[in-house]
Amino acid sequence: MWILLVEDEKQLARSLKRGLEEEGHVVEVMHDGEEAELQGLVNDYDMVVLDWRLPNRDGKQILEHWRAEDRSFPVLMLTALGDLDHKVAGLDAGADDYMGKPFSFEELLARVRALGRRSSEMQNNDPVSVGPIELDSRKHWVKVCGIKRSLRPKEFILLELLLNEPETVFSKTQIAERVWGSAYYVSDNTIEATISTLRQKLAESFEECEEDFLEDNSKVIETIRGAGYRLNSNLTQTNE
């Protein structure tokens, strides 16, 4: 993959660059926030590893600008600010994953591989729609009844998974592997919370549609007891 590594700690940047290149990646390193922001606007990287604290412009501001300009490459955010509030702020800004410093290179590499699979899937995916829900992974937008809706990164990936395979029931393990890249880095509670918030946002969006697509909008995502989750089967029928 072509990876942009934005890290102002030069010794750490050299170490990460060397390790990633040994894995076969092409790595471009930048230490300044403003310069990195510009490069992300003009180049189609396969992935960006982005530090939060940078000279001239912080990683959160950079990422918000990229997402506002429809730059959809996966972003792994690195920071010494490891508390929950900063993690949530980074994910809300558009990060696909988040690692607090210090970290092991093996874990970073595993997360890079997971996001790389996501990047490959995004490049091959055309816009998809089921019922009133439309999703374009390349331009990174979701519409319900023609109106754009805002989702957090993991909610977006989860919805994309459900839309691409609308009749499939996904277990929590399968969701962890497909959305987070590994079942080892995410708890059942996190998966359940993500499903719950996505379900709530979709239900609220359905309430604003002129047409009734479901009898109960809170069941846009169905829970199949003992098996997992899937998109409501009544939605798939509206496309037939």
Side-chain angles (χ1 to χ4, degrees):
M1 291 184 293
W2 183 20
I3 299 176
L4 174 62
L5 171 61
V6 189
E7 171 58 67
D8 66 324
E9 294 181 39
K10 294 184 178 181
Q11 184 174 348
L12 175 59
R14 285 194 297 269
S15 176
L16 294 178
K17 174 180 170 66
R18 183 171 58 252
L20 290 168
E21 288 179 338
E22 287 175 354
E23 295 295 320
H25 303 295
V26 176
V27 183
E28 182 177 346
V29 176
M30 306 208 74
H31 306 296
D32 179 83
E34 287 185 354
E35 293 179 3
E37 182 176 29
L38 177 60
Q39 291 304 305
L41 292 173
V42 299
N43 293 316
D44 292 324
Y45 296 103
D46 294 307
M47 181 186 308
V48 177
V49 180
L50 178 66
D51 190 30
W52 184 305
R53 288 180 169 175
L54 294 166
N56 298 320
R57 194 157 177 84
D58 70 47
K60 179 174 176 289
Q61 292 174 318
I62 293 170
L63 183 52
E64 287 173 336
H65 189 188
W66 284 344
R67 295 311 191 214
E69 295 296 325
D70 292 327
R71 308 305 288 165
S72 59
F73 39 65
V75 174
L76 171 59
M77 181 164 278
L78 306 177
T79 180
L81 306 171
D83 59 89
L84 180 60
D85 287 344
H86 281 97
K87 181 175 182 179
V88 170
L91 294 173
D92 281 346
D96 295 272
D97 204 352
Y98 188 107
M99 288 187 66
K101 297 178 179 178
F103 54 82
S104 70
F105 179 73
E106 289 76 14
E107 182 179 354
L108 179 136
L109 196 58
R111 291 174 184 259
V112 165
R113 285 195 296 265
L115 290 179
R117 291 192 293 271
R118 164 70 177 158
S119 178
S120 177
E121 291 172 359
M122 286 175 62
Q123 292 172 2
N124 295 327
N125 278 354
D126 293 324
V128 61
S129 65
V130 177
I133 308 173
E134 302 172 83
L135 182 146
D136 190 322
S137 60
R138 292 176 180 175
K139 296 182 179 179
H140 206 79
W141 55 251
V142 174
K143 295 180 181 178
V144 179
C145 293
I147 301 173
K148 282 190 177 181
R149 306 295 178 177
S150 177
L151 298 179
R152 289 183 175 181
K154 296 305 182 187
E155 295 167 352
F156 186 95
I157 299 170
L158 174 59
L159 179 59
E160 183 180 17
L161 174 66
L162 297 174
L163 291 176
N164 276 318
E165 302 180 50
E167 297 182 1
T168 300
V169 177
F170 292 96
S171 67
K172 287 181 182 177
T173 298
Q174 290 172 318
I175 290 172
E177 291 173 346
R178 299 283 290 275
V179 176
W180 278 266
S182 171
Y184 294 104
Y185 299 130
V186 59
S187 67
D188 284 354
N189 287 342
T190 298
I191 295 170
E192 290 167 2
T194 302
I195 291 170
S196 177
T197 56
L198 175 59
R199 184 184 276 148
Q200 181 179 351
K201 289 179 180 180
L202 291 175
E204 292 171 353
S205 298
F206 271 56
E207 293 293 339
E208 299 178 23
C209 295
E210 294 182 1
E211 181 180 348
D212 291 331
F213 292 92
L214 298 172
E215 291 184 4
D216 185 350
N217 290 333
S218 68
K219 296 182 179 179
V220 179
I221 299 173
E222 294 180 309
T223 300
I224 310 302
R225 190 177 299 275
Y229 306 89
R230 73 176 178 195
L231 204 64
N232 192 302
S233 58
N234 289 328
L235 281 181
T236 62
Q237 296 171 10
T238 65
N239 277 18
E240 297 175 357

